[in-house]
Amino acid sequence: MKPLVAIFDTTLRDGEQSPGCSMRPAEKLRLARQIERLGVDVIEAGFPIASAGEVESVEAVAQEIRSVKVAALCRTKPADIEAAGKALKRAARPLIHTFLATSDIHLKHKLKLTRAEALRDAIAGVAQARSFGAEVEFSAEDASRTEYGYLREVLRAVFEAGASVLNVPDTVGYALPHEYAEMVGRLVEDIPGAVISVHCHNDLGLAVANSIAAIQAGARQVECTVNGIGERAGNTALEELVMALRVRGEAVGADTAVRSELLAPSSAALASITGVWPQPNKAIVGRNAFAHEAGIHQHGVLANPLTYEIMTPASVGVADSLLVLGKHSGKHAVDARLRQLGVCLEPAELESVTARVKELADRTKFVYDEDLRALVAHVAEPRARLVRYQSLSGNQILPTATVELELEGARRSASAVGNGPLDAALKAADAALGFEVELLEMHTRAVTAGKDALAEVIMRVLHHGVESTGQAAGTDSIEAALRAYLSAVGAARRAREAA
Ligand code: KIV
Ligand code: ZN
């Protein structure tokens, strides 16, 4: 039997550090439930010292996610470790993940520490983390650019101090597969008994290749993120790594316990929360990953899928959109379908989604899986909410809109004209809000095919120095845009309050 490599999912931590991918605590918890079902071994829930929102997220995930380890990140500073240890207090299987850079570049220019001082801090940090009774992982940040002798000295010392997992990040995505594999192979030999873990960034597009090379050299944990999101060019994409091992496991000599049929639903769950969809040609989960355009290819696939498909769409959870729900569907039907899609909601959230399903089915008759996912993405209780709006538009009149909204419990309304119906509606919303909001970005997409498809709108705004994202879906794209706008404004106000 092939050895299993542990999958350490850091979508909620490193992934969340991608521009535009920040998540609120309730969103992180919803995604954590899906990632737990996916069958990973560790979920890194956040970086508690960073903010009150991060503490809330880690606590919520630690309390609810019982079947996999829950990790919290911290530097080796005493206050960081304390924050991580406390946030994981209720976890069934806590893992404190502490890190310190070991490369001379980082020590000299960032940390202003000598090698001896960094070694001392790493040992002290691991000892403090162990005092919480949690399992401890130590990461030597920028390991791939660290002089090998010093890297081994630090890792041996922290292993003796109680860190059972030693992670050697390619922090800046600089390593080539053979170099990275050589470093991992030497560590496996030089520190017997330790689990060597890898964490690769994708700056040269080599994160998955480096992770696979490391597995072949003996690494037994890989850190990755759904859709490969993460700092800069991102991290090792979980779905790519898992399918490389599933399809080419014999050649690599390893597998994972991940349930591959939940990969596409997990990708969609993340994208509908962040509003950042993978590019169409993204391996495994991109819209075109199983689309055959060329006639020769279509002919081959029809004759036998093996001609051009190395894995089936079903094996990664890609199925044709199913017609499942209508206006007579009750909350049990909605819940059952959502669970098949990998989404588990709280009772109040389920009530709210069921009401939206009925509302939508009244208008469009059919509710497809994609519609359902889009509706789920918008169940969070809004700070600012649209009550009603009216719009007058045409190519011979001045577009005009009136908007009534509720902001933190108070109703306000206003009218405005604009250079189009959307401009008029957003100007009316601004006038009703009574304060400045800058619209940074807006994306609209049809969730399903057909003229009556739901439109999903994602807005990124800047309000009092805080950037935030809001999403909404509806058959009326102006209404969806207003809801997305107000949701983003509400999120910015909440984030400002929490800061
Ligand atoms: O890229 C990196 O080095 C990290 C560490 C904190 C694990 O994310
Ligand atoms: Zn990283």
Side-chain angles (χ1 to χ4, degrees):
M1 216 175 79
K2 295 187 284 284
L4 289 184
V5 170
I7 298 294
F8 176 116
D9 179 90
T10 182
T11 309
L12 303 180
R13 198 280 298 169
D14 211 321
E16 207 223 4
Q17 290 171 217
S18 315
C21 287
S22 64
M23 291 173 246
R24 302 169 206 164
E27 292 168 336
K28 279 196 171 190
L29 181 58
R30 196 180 329 136
L31 192 59
R33 291 186 193 122
Q34 170 64 15
I35 294 172
E36 181 184 31
R37 276 168 46 97
L38 184 58
V40 305
D41 300 272
V42 186
I43 293 178
E44 184 162 58
F47 189 10
I49 198 76
S51 71
E54 284 290 276
V55 172
E56 197 187 324
S57 301
V58 175
E59 284 179 350
V61 173
Q63 180 152 344
E64 189 173 319
I65 302 300
R66 312 307 288 175
S67 72
V68 306
K69 294 179 200 172
V70 175
L73 184 71
C74 48
R75 290 166 297 187
T76 49
K77 292 176 188 283
D80 276 47
I81 298 168
E82 173 102 11
K86 278 190 177 155
L88 290 173
K89 202 166 66 200
R90 295 213 164 77
R93 301 170 66 196
L95 175 76
I96 298 182
H97 177 193
T98 187
F99 74 98
L100 184 68
T102 49
S103 67
D104 287 337
I105 299 180
H106 278 238
L107 291 179
K108 181 165 173 220
H109 300 288
K110 184 181 81 173
L111 299 174
K112 317 241 182 292
L113 289 178
T114 63
R115 285 184 175 187
E117 286 164 340
L119 175 64
R120 175 203 62 200
D121 289 357
I123 297 170
V126 168
Q128 188 193 347
R130 282 293 292 149
S131 72
F132 284 88
E135 193 179 338
V136 176
E137 168 172 329
F138 176 81
S139 283
E141 191 188 7
D142 206 19
S144 56
R145 292 194 300 169
T146 301
E147 186 264 312
Y148 183 76
Y150 179 62
L151 178 66
R152 179 179 55 194
E153 184 184 359
V154 172
L155 294 180
R156 269 189 181 147
V158 295
F159 181 56
E160 273 162 28
S164 53
V165 181
L166 306 178
N167 187 39
V168 285
D170 182 27
T171 302
V172 289
Y174 178 75
L176 297 176
H178 71 279
E179 296 167 347
Y180 199 53
E182 192 203 331
M183 177 187 74
V184 167
R186 287 178 77 179
L187 289 171
V188 169
E189 221 171 274
D190 288 347
I191 316 182
V195 173
I196 302 298
S197 165
V198 292
H199 175 115
C200 300
H201 280 270
N202 206 29
D203 301 66
L204 293 175
L206 292 171
V208 174
N210 281 339
S211 302
I212 291 172
I215 292 171
Q216 291 186 295
R220 284 297 168 261
Q221 175 174 284
V222 176
E223 304 197 349
C224 39
T225 59
V226 175
N227 294 346
I229 63 170
E231 277 285 358
R232 306 180 310 279
N235 289 65
T236 299
L238 184 149
E239 56 282 346
E240 294 177 20
L241 181 87
V242 166
M243 289 317 288
L245 296 184
R246 203 53 47 87
V247 174
R248 300 303 316 276
E250 291 307 326
V252 180
D255 200 356
T256 76
V258 167
R259 296 169 61 194
S260 67
E261 69 282 6
L262 291 182
L263 289 171
S266 304
S267 161
L270 169 67
S272 55
I273 287 173
T274 58
V276 179
W277 289 81
Q279 85 261 17
N281 62 329
K282 164 89 175 59
I284 318 295
V285 294
R287 189 166 15 103
N288 295 345
F290 293 94
H292 302 277
E293 174 66 24
I296 292 176
H297 287 213
Q298 288 175 347
H299 177 236
V301 169
L302 287 175
N304 185 338
L306 285 177
T307 50
Y308 287 102
E309 278 180 7
I310 58 166
M311 58 200 146
T312 63
S315 68
V316 303
V318 172
D320 285 342
S321 201
L322 289 176
L323 168 68
V324 282
L325 299 168
K327 66 180 170 188
H328 301 297
S329 304
K331 71 174 176 217
H332 294 297
V334 174
D335 191 31
R337 188 66 201 140
L338 280 172
R339 280 172 191 276
Q340 283 168 357
L341 295 176
V343 181
C344 313
L345 296 181
E346 299 286 351
E349 293 173 332
L350 183 61
E351 293 283 354
S352 154
V353 171
T354 307
R356 305 279 313 268
V357 165
K358 286 174 184 290
E359 219 176 274
L360 178 62
D362 258 344
R363 284 191 254 168
T364 63
K365 220 154 119 190
F366 305 133
V367 177
Y368 295 85
D369 288 351
E370 287 84 349
D371 297 326
L372 202 50
R373 286 201 190 98
L375 294 180
V376 168
H378 314 302
V379 291
E381 206 33 58
R383 273 291 172 96
R385 125 187 132 78
L386 180 69
V387 176
R388 66 185 126 230
Y389 94 99
Q390 189 177 317
S391 162
L392 265 179
S393 179
N395 61 357
Q396 301 291 322
I397 60 167
L398 194 58
T400 312
T402 302
V403 168
E404 183 178 345
L405 55 86
E406 200 173 275
L407 178 69
E408 282 138 17
R411 292 249 169 142
R412 299 147 177 247
S413 59
S415 302
V417 292
N419 62 16
L422 178 64
D423 186 41
L426 294 179
K427 283 193 172 128
D430 281 346
L433 287 167
F435 48 72
E436 272 293 304
V437 181
E438 190 183 338
L439 177 60
L440 300 175
E441 225 177 302
M442 169 172 153
H443 298 282
T444 308
R445 69 177 193 115
V447 171
T448 48
K451 292 180 191 142
D452 63 352
L454 271 189
E456 180 173 64
V457 182
I458 296 159
M459 299 254 189
R460 203 154 61 81
V461 304
L462 182 66
H463 171 50
H464 284 316
V466 179
E467 266 186 40
S468 69
T469 308
Q471 311 167 20
T475 46
D476 174 338
S477 56
I478 302 288
E479 181 187 336
L482 279 168
R483 287 189 197 282
Y485 189 63
L486 294 176
S487 157
V489 170
R493 290 174 80 79
R494 198 186 340 249
R496 203 164 156 254
E497 240 174 59

